[in-house]
Amino acid sequence: MTISVKNICCIGAGYVGGPTMSVIADKCRDISVNVVDKNEDRINLWNSPNLEDLPIYEPGLDKIIKRCRGRNLFFSTNIKKNIEIADIIFISVNTPTKKKGIGAGQASDLKWVEACAREVAKYAKGRTIVVEKSTLPVKTAEVIKTILEASQSKEISGELNPFFDVLSNPEFLAEGSAIKDLEDPDRVLIGGDNEEAILALSSIYRNWVPDNKILHTNIWSSELAKLTANAFLAQRISSINSIGALCEATGADVREVARAIGTDKRIGSKFLDSGPGFGGSCFKKDILNLVYLSNYFGLNDVALFWEGVVKLNTWHQHRISKLIVKNLFGTVTGKKIYILGFSFKANTNDTRESSAINICKDLLEEGAILTINDPKVESIQIAKDLGKIENPKVHIMNENDNFSLEGEWCYSDKINNGFAGSDAVVVLTEWYEYSKINWSEVSKLMRKPAWVFDARSIINPNEVKEANLNFWRIGDGSIT
Ligand code: NAD
Ligand code: UGA
């Protein structure tokens, strides 16, 4: 029997649910796509007439929202109604690392996923395909199935008797390029065993993804493949950052090493950019999840192997703070340092696990006076991340301002306002506008001897040196 899909419900209007469902709505005009969330503020922002207010910044997303919202794309807090009418329900809620209890610090906290399964069990009518879009530990589908089946057995047979299929369909988009990744994915992965359900889900993607890119596996392989993909990507970053540290010690240049190894087709050139360490909501959490699962299944050496990737990343972040202090004559107490970039990568307003958080905290701990700029991250978010929310009045820097509180920070909403009196500038996110700074102009404003620390390799070393500034670049042993 062919299952016809007319209504989709996605639970979770976050960084995945929002863009993913927008692209589905854009590509499938005859399907009504309803994105629901219990967070009313977030839903209001998704519905804001001013597209600048959308709760997440993602290049190209505003245009799609403009085309589809109100046509076949809807954002709502009415979870019950939208579950009732859905043929397919995507679960796209957060799955952070558990903070307490068994597995704390490693295992994923599945309480939000479980809550969704219970809501679906309560309200769904007729045959409903439930899709795991969130990143989940292997065997989570079993939990979801058990909860759904418990509701099935309670029903008396009838036309609207709920009947569920559970599929895994992990998301591989990266923030900042989400729309491009969704419109032209390397692959769409669907795990499950019911042919009709798999066909129904595939039929959505077939509207724009070629058949040979839609991969089918069993449900456990699909769940594990998602964790493995993130672990492999993060592992490459820890690998290149470890070599970068060796380059700095030996006079080699990590960019040259990366280019040399990346031309080997077996290695490939992607994900070899040395930086301040990987951030983002998923790499660390997904690897720790893999560590937990490996230990759980008695594979302790496998767990240790993957744990090393996260440990190296943390070590690397602190290494950067330490070398800033070392180069500034061993102390930053009372010195002004201008931080350029707070998001975990360019083209997103997301700061979750951003390396900037650890590096800024280290410098504040050392008594530095920080000024922080980011084109998309708001000051209030930075305050939360730095644990300074108890003082919600963030100091916003103006031109000619002289903020000088040791161990404190202020926000500069214009790039040019933060250089005055600074002993150092630290580039932590690769925003395009930072590569266009006129160093000979800003050098005149800084206190000498002054430093530029480029943790993203986006600054032209010659321009900085000609501007009479000292220069340090990640993974570069030759520049002083
Ligand atoms: P997010 O925190 O941005 O969004 C999750 C949303 O779910 C929140 O708005 C929250 O209010 C809502 N929610 C939680 N429980 C709910 C419930 N019971 N009912 C209704 N709404 C509920 O998270 P995200 O970044 O979109 O990530 C979601 C999942 O996708 C995670 O498992 C993550 O690992 C995975 N993932 C994320 C990315 C990424 O780039 N962020 C990429 C691929 C996969
Ligand atoms: C990552 C994966 O790339 C996605 O495929 C996956 O779907 C997603 O995680 C997820 O599951 O959440 P994302 O975290 O959005 O996507 O961004 P990435 O481009 O992977 O960057 C992650 C971090 O690694 C960033 O801090 C970035 O600056 C850093 N990075 C990336 C490097 O330091 N060097 C590189 O060469 C690449």
Side-chain angles (χ1 to χ4, degrees), residues 8-292:
I8 287 177
C9 171
C10 172
I11 312 180
Y15 283 87
V16 169
T20 310
M21 292 303 124
S22 300
V23 169
I24 290 182
D26 201 29
K27 302 290 182 186
C28 314
R29 288 185 72 130
D30 50 349
I31 298 178
S32 178
V33 181
N34 300 293
V35 189
V36 297
D37 204 295
K38 60 182 183 181
N39 181 336
E40 199 176 344
D41 293 342
R42 211 168 204 188
I43 290 295
N44 288 342
L45 292 174
W46 280 112
N47 282 325
S48 169
N50 181 357
L51 294 173
E52 296 261 307
D53 291 344
L54 293 180
I56 67 173
Y57 172 70
E58 196 58 68
L61 178 63
D62 50 353
K63 288 198 185 73
I64 299 182
I65 298 280
K66 196 171 172 204
R67 274 203 295 276
C68 304
R69 200 175 54 188
R71 181 189 77 190
N72 66 330
L73 175 66
F74 306 93
F75 294 91
S76 149
T77 50
N78 194 337
I79 298 175
K80 175 176 181 285
K81 183 196 109 192
N82 286 300
I83 289 179
E84 275 173 3
I85 61 169
D87 306 300
I88 296 193
I89 297 172
F90 288 87
I91 297 182
S92 187
V93 297
N94 34 324
T95 51
T97 306
K98 264 182 102 169
K99 289 208 173 99
K100 54 184 181 188
I102 299 167
Q106 288 187 337
S108 281
D109 193 337
L110 298 182
K111 72 176 176 207
W112 292 275
V113 172
E114 190 183 324
C116 289
R118 289 184 190 282
E119 300 261 283
V120 173
K122 200 159 143 197
Y123 301 126
K125 292 191 172 151
R127 184 167 190 177
T128 309
I129 300 169
V130 178
V131 181
E132 298 175 342
K133 193 49 132 175
S134 296
T135 303
L136 297 166
V138 191
K139 299 279 180 190
T140 306
E142 214 146 75
V143 177
I144 296 177
K145 259 187 191 153
T146 309
I147 293 171
L148 297 176
E149 278 164 10
S151 85
Q152 252 169 279
S153 59
K154 271 192 264 159
E155 293 290 325
I156 311 147
S157 163
E159 215 193 326
L160 292 180
N161 201 15
F163 171 76
F164 300 104
D165 300 289
V166 179
L167 299 177
S168 158
N169 173 219
E171 186 47 61
F172 295 97
L173 68 81
E175 288 177 30
S177 57
I179 302 303
K180 194 177 117 301
D181 297 342
L182 288 162
E183 289 182 338
D184 182 21
D186 285 347
R187 76 318 210 170
V188 166
L189 179 58
I190 300 178
D193 52 17
N194 184 289
E195 277 304 316
E196 289 166 359
I198 292 170
L199 271 178
L201 182 56
S202 305
S203 73
I204 297 174
Y205 290 109
R206 278 214 192 96
N207 283 295
W208 77 97
V209 180
D211 264 355
N212 62 353
K213 286 191 174 181
I214 304 180
L215 311 183
H216 298 156
T217 64
N218 79 34
I219 201 156
W220 321 126
S221 305
S222 172
E223 288 177 339
L224 187 56
K226 172 63 197 175
L227 293 182
T228 308
N230 275 358
F232 269 55
L233 291 170
Q235 172 271 123
R236 281 175 75 94
I237 301 168
S238 279
S239 298
I240 200 68
N241 282 339
S242 73
I243 297 301
L246 207 50
C247 288
E248 288 166 29
T250 56
D253 179 337
V254 77
R255 283 149 294 271
E256 291 180 355
V257 175
R259 182 154 51 94
I261 65 165
T263 49
D264 185 328
K265 288 197 186 69
R266 295 165 304 172
I267 296 174
S269 60
K270 305 252 171 76
F271 265 70
L272 286 180
D273 291 333
S274 187
F278 59 76
S281 61
C282 296
F283 278 177
K284 185 173 164 194
K285 129 177 122 57
D286 292 349
I287 296 176
L288 291 175
N289 202 345
L290 211 52
V291 169
Y292 178 76

Side-chain angles (χ1 to χ4, degrees), residues 324-332 334-338 419-425 439 442-453 464-465 467-472 480:
I324 294 171
V325 176
K326 190 172 157 227
N327 280 303
L328 294 179
F329 306 117
T331 177
V332 292
K335 291 183 181 165
K336 292 190 179 178
I337 301 181
Y338 190 18
F419 293 99
S422 291
D423 296 273
V425 174
W439 292 102
V442 301
S443 169
K444 292 177 198 153
L445 305 171
M446 296 177 71
R447 186 171 83 147
K448 305 290 176 344
W451 278 85
V452 175
F453 297 91
V464 174
K465 283 188 281 179
N468 192 24
L469 296 164
N470 295 308
F471 187 63
W472 173 92
T480 50

